[in-house]
């Protein structure tokens, strides 16, 4: 038997360049068998971020106007081998990565889901039926479909099955003789269109694409599709992921990430305030208790708001040892927070929210474009993005911030955010996750 040097046992190592949202990049040396989740954990550790399992690696193709989040189990080097030189990896948050496991009815409208055979359990068994390879779920509905090699789009009745995506050549008929295969899923991946209207003349902003893995630069083999709204696009894309990967997705969601041997022993924060349900607490006794009565919780919230105001007023009267006067500090302290994104436009704030996952409670704060003294809270609720103006107001000679016409006032934006993480107040939901950009 021939001898083998120790080099035979060394595992292949590759250099991969990763970009962050702010344009910075870092070259990372990884093993050939490193998964997307492993790499995200490594970047989280090196960037000193909170490891809450919502970080993702994004495959971005600027020349094609496409991007997608890698699944946690995918091998990074393998995916990179299918990418063109112009393409790149982005490190980004995606709070919606596994949201469909928590709230499946929000992702799959009843009128879009059918079963090829009798289903036991109805909507409560929706995900089990998707994950069960012996069942035959179908997603159906109208989509705008771009004809291959042409600029025109056609509105067709489409159904998605385990065997692929089909369109009907006769109205809404699903008879086998009327179904034509549009794309298979096995050797393809599903992407979002980043500039569908501009680049492909898409009829709506809710475009997606089924791209064969072998395609690098050519657009003629891309199966471009367009839904009428964001919920429709999310439904089709989520169903594609479930039908392609099945139980692998559920394992990614349920199994805690296992750190690879290449990572040193370290401890990272595993609890994120934005990732956990915040509850009202009463600390007036010797031990704290959760306030379960909604009326009592609202009363406690109002009392806490008044307490913040008193503390701020007392600070202003007594003065501050800080070089910055409290009134000055309150106007700039929010700029140290990850959730504050400065002077960005409404369009840019909406783009960031969409990129990081249209889940309830996802938010960011920014400077107002129309009022130089005001700020804007951009918030996602029911897959729709809403904006709330935060205005400065004066009370007893002190400056406060409010988004409900002065009914609830805060000394600074940090207190405002803390308050609305506990209480929804005039908002449609509590603040839960904040959009974040990390420099690598």
């Amino acid at each position: 038997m021939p001898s083998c040097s120790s080099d035979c046992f060394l595992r292949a190592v590759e250099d991969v360049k990763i970009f962050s949202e702010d344009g910075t990049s870092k070259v990372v040396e990884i093993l050939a068998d490193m998964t997307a989740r492993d790499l995200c954990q490594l970047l989280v550790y090196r960037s000193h971020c909170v490891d809450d399992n919502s970080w993702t690696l994004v495959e971005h193709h600027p020349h094609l106007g496409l991007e997608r989040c890698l699944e946690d189990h995918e091998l990074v080097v393998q995916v990179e081998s299918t990418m063109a030189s112009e393409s790149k990896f982005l490190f980004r948050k995606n709070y919606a990565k596994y949201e469909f496991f928590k709230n499946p009815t929000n992702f799959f409208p009843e009128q879009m889901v059918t079963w090829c055979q009798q289903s036991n359990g109805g909507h409560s068994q929706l995900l089990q039926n998707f994950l069960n390879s012996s069942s035959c779920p179908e997603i159906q509905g109208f989509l705008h479909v771009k004809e291959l090699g042409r600029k025109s789009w056609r509105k067709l009745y489409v159904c998605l099955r385990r065997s692929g995506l089909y369109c009907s050549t006769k109205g809404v008929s699903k008879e086998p003789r009327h179904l034509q295969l549009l794309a298979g899923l096995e050797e393809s991946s599903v992407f979002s269109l980043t500039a569908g209207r501009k680049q492909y003349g898409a009829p709506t902003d809710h475009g997606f694409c089924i791209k064969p893995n072998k395609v690098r630069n050519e657009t003629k083999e891309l199966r471009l599709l367009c839904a009428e709204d964001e919920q429709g696009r999310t439904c089709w894309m989520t169903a594609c992921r479930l039908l392609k990967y099945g139980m692998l997705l559920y394992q990614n969601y349920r199994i805690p990430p296992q750190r690879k041997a290449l990572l040193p022993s370290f401890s990272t924060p595993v609890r994120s305030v934005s990732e956990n349900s915040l509850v009202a607490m009463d600390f007036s006794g010797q031990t704290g208790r959760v306030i379960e009565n909604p009326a009592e919780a609202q009363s406690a919230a109002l009392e806490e708001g008044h307490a913040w105001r008193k503390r701020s007023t007392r600070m202003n009267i007594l003065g501050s040892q800080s070089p910055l006067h409290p009134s000055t500090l309150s106007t700039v302290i929010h700029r140290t927070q990850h959730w504050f994104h400065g002077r960005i436009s409404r369009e840019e704030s909406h783009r960031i929210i969409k990129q990081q996952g249209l889940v309830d409670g996802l938010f960011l704060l920014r400077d107002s474009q129309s009022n130089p003294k005001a700020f804007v809270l951009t918030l996602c609720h029911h897959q729709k993005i809403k904006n709330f103006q935060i205005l400065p107001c004066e009370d007893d000679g002190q400056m406060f911030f409010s988004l409900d016409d002065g009914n609830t006032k805060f000394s600074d934006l940090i207190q405002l955010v803390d308050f609305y993480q506990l209480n929804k107040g005039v908002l449609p939901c509590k603040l839960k996750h904040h959009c974040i950009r990390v420099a690598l």
Side-chain angles (χ1 to χ4, degrees), residues 22 38 77 115 225 249 280 401:
D22 63 0
D38 295 333
V77 172
W115 309 98
L225 308 148
L249 286 190
F401 295 99

Side-chain angles (χ1 to χ4, degrees), residues 94-150:
N94 180 16
Y95 292 105
K97 183 163 60 170
Y98 298 121
E99 188 70 14
F100 56 89
F101 282 121
K102 305 171 188 175
N103 303 296
T105 54
N106 292 345
F107 283 75
F108 300 103
E110 195 168 346
Q111 70 274 14
M112 292 183 65
V113 184
T114 59
W115 309 98
C116 295
Q117 59 193 38
Q118 186 63 34
S119 173
N120 56 347
H123 234 65
S124 62
Q125 297 296 313
L126 181 64
L127 286 174
Q128 286 86 337
N129 287 325
F130 265 108
L131 297 173
N132 182 2
S133 58
S134 64
S135 68
C136 304
E138 275 189 13
I139 302 297
Q140 61 185 17
F142 284 95
L143 284 175
H144 299 277
V145 181
K146 188 177 184 295
E147 299 186 62
L148 294 178
R150 302 179 66 180

Side-chain angles (χ1 to χ4, degrees), residues 238-256:
T238 304
C240 285
R241 293 174 61 201
L242 280 166
L243 291 175
K244 179 175 181 178
Y245 296 111
M247 283 301 297
L248 269 175
L249 286 190
Y250 187 70
Q251 291 168 2
N252 291 343
Y253 167 61
R254 294 294 298 172
I255 298 176

Side-chain angles (χ1 to χ4, degrees), residues 120-365:
N120 56 347
H123 234 65
S124 62
Q125 297 296 313
L126 181 64
L127 286 174
Q128 286 86 337
N129 287 325
F130 265 108
L131 297 173
N132 182 2
S133 58
S134 64
S135 68
C136 304
E138 275 189 13
I139 302 297
Q140 61 185 17
F142 284 95
L143 284 175
H144 299 277
V145 181
K146 188 177 184 295
E147 299 186 62
L148 294 178
R150 302 179 66 180
K151 294 183 178 180
S152 57
W153 292 73
R154 295 174 60 196
K155 192 172 184 178
L156 300 172
Y157 189 75
V158 179
C159 66
L160 177 65
R161 297 175 174 175
R162 291 194 186 278
S163 54
L165 185 72
Y166 299 84
C167 70
S168 176
T169 58
K170 187 177 181 180
V172 296
S173 171
K174 292 196 292 183
E175 292 185 29
R177 61 196 177 100
H178 294 148
L179 292 181
Q180 178 181 331
L181 180 67
L182 291 175
L185 298 177
E186 190 172 345
E187 298 298 327
S188 302
S189 298
V190 61
F191 289 78
S192 296
L193 297 186
T194 58
R197 285 186 186 269
K198 181 178 180 180
Q199 194 160 353
Y200 299 106
T204 77
D205 294 320
H206 313 291
F208 62 104
C209 168
I210 297 178
K211 171 186 166 297
N213 295 336
K214 63 180 180 180
V215 173
R216 289 176 180 251
N217 294 302
E218 309 82 11
T219 61
K220 60 183 180 181
E221 293 187 59
L222 300 178
R223 178 53 75 186
L224 300 170
L225 308 148
C226 218
E228 292 293 348
D229 54 34
E230 190 58 40
Q231 186 184 38
R233 174 167 73 168
T234 302
C235 177
W236 287 102
M237 293 183 67
T238 304
C240 285
R241 293 174 61 201
L242 280 166
L243 291 175
K244 179 175 181 178
Y245 296 111
M247 283 301 297
L248 269 175
L249 286 190
Y250 187 70
Q251 291 168 2
N252 291 343
Y253 167 61
R254 294 294 298 172
I255 298 176
Q258 301 296 318
R259 305 193 189 280
K260 290 288 186 178
L262 65 94
L263 294 178
S265 298
F266 60 89
S267 176
T268 57
V270 295
R271 184 177 181 85
S272 167
V273 171
S274 66
E275 285 297 301
N276 291 270
S277 298
L278 298 174
V279 296
M281 296 288 294
D282 174 19
F283 293 103
S284 59
Q286 292 184 344
T287 59
R289 68 178 181 89
V290 175
I291 303 176
E292 298 180 353
N293 186 313
E296 185 184 358
Q298 185 175 11
S299 175
L302 291 173
E303 289 181 12
E304 181 65 14
H306 291 313
W308 280 334
R309 291 177 58 191
K310 290 178 181 178
R311 284 197 296 269
S312 175
T313 303
R314 189 164 58 248
M315 284 178 65
N316 283 325
I317 293 173
L318 296 176
S320 172
Q321 296 179 355
S322 168
L324 283 175
H325 190 273
S327 60
T328 305
L329 183 62
S330 67
T331 62
V332 298
I333 193 171
H334 52 271
R335 299 188 183 277
T336 65
Q337 304 301 301
H338 287 304
W339 41 253
F340 187 74
H341 289 246
R343 296 182 181 277
I344 62 172
S345 66
R346 172 189 286 244
E347 293 73 22
E348 176 69 4
S349 68
H350 287 204
R351 186 183 69 83
I352 295 171
I353 292 277
K354 288 178 181 177
Q355 286 180 340
Q356 301 201 10
L358 289 171
V359 298
D360 286 358
L362 180 60
F363 75 97
L364 62 83
L365 270 72

